[in-house]
């Protein structure tokens, strides 16, 4: 009684395996568009209370493959602000980003990470007299 059932089950499994293998060989791999290559940064981003200076592109660094981005400098009477934006398609681990891509590796242990549910993760730290805010923001702008 079990013999015909086992044979039928083996035929189904073998047929399915051959079908998947055949499809993998015949159908070409679909190309995924890289968001980093297709994203274009705006030339200016207004920031209330700050005077925007001329922005400049950030080129990728070959040694650690940091993706291209845009630098937005701002000035007000009391201080200056430099904003660097980059499109990342990996996880949203601010601590790992700072460890891998920035020279402030040693101060990374002082990083305080917080989560804003509707926006994403951000980290704050001080290093050599400068304050750093690093944020990973959902590209849609909000979690729905």
């Amino acid at each position: 009684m079990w013999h015909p059932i086992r044979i039928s089950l083996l035929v189904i499994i073998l047929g399915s395996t051959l079908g998947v293998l055949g499809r993998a060989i015949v159908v070409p791999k679909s190309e995924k568009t890289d968001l980093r290559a297709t994203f274009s940064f705006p030339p200016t981003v207004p920031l209330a209370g700050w005077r925007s200076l001329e922005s400049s592109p950030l080129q990728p660094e070959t040694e650690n493959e940091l993706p291209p981005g845009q630098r937005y400098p701002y000035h007000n009477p009391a201080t200056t602000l430099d904003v660097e934006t980059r499109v990342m398609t990996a996880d949203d681990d601010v601590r790992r980003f700072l460890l891998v891509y920035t020279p402030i590796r040693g101060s990374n242990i002082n990083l305080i990470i917080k989560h804003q549910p509707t926006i994403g993760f951000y980290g704050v730290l001080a290093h050599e007299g400068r304050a750093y805010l690093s944020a990973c923001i959902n590209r849609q702008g909000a979690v729905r």
Side-chain angles (χ1 to χ4, degrees), residues 19-93:
V20 170
L21 182 61
R23 178 172 164 74
I25 291 171
V26 173
V27 177
K29 184 177 178 180
S30 65
E31 292 184 27
K32 294 181 181 178
T33 56
D34 186 4
L35 177 63
R36 294 178 300 178
T38 60
F39 187 83
S40 63
F41 292 94
T44 61
V45 176
L47 187 59
W50 294 85
R51 184 172 57 96
S52 178
L53 304 173
E54 186 176 344
S55 69
S56 60
L58 296 169
Q59 297 305 317
E61 299 175 18
T62 56
E63 68 186 46
N64 56 13
E65 298 181 18
L66 188 59
Q70 191 78 11
R71 173 175 283 124
Y72 298 99
Y74 297 92
H75 181 72
N76 73 13
T79 189
T80 60
L81 172 68
D82 286 320
V83 177
E84 289 186 10
T85 59
R86 297 189 186 273
V87 176
M88 304 292 289
T89 57
D91 63 14
D92 54 6
D93 188 343

Side-chain angles (χ1 to χ4, degrees), residues 5 9 17 27 43 49 66-67 73 80 85 90 98 105 117 121-122 127 136-137 143:
I5 294 173
L9 189 59
T17 304
V27 177
L66 188 59
T80 60
T85 59
L98 293 174
R105 291 174 179 85
F121 290 91
Y122 67 95
H127 176 70
C136 293
I137 301 171
V143 178

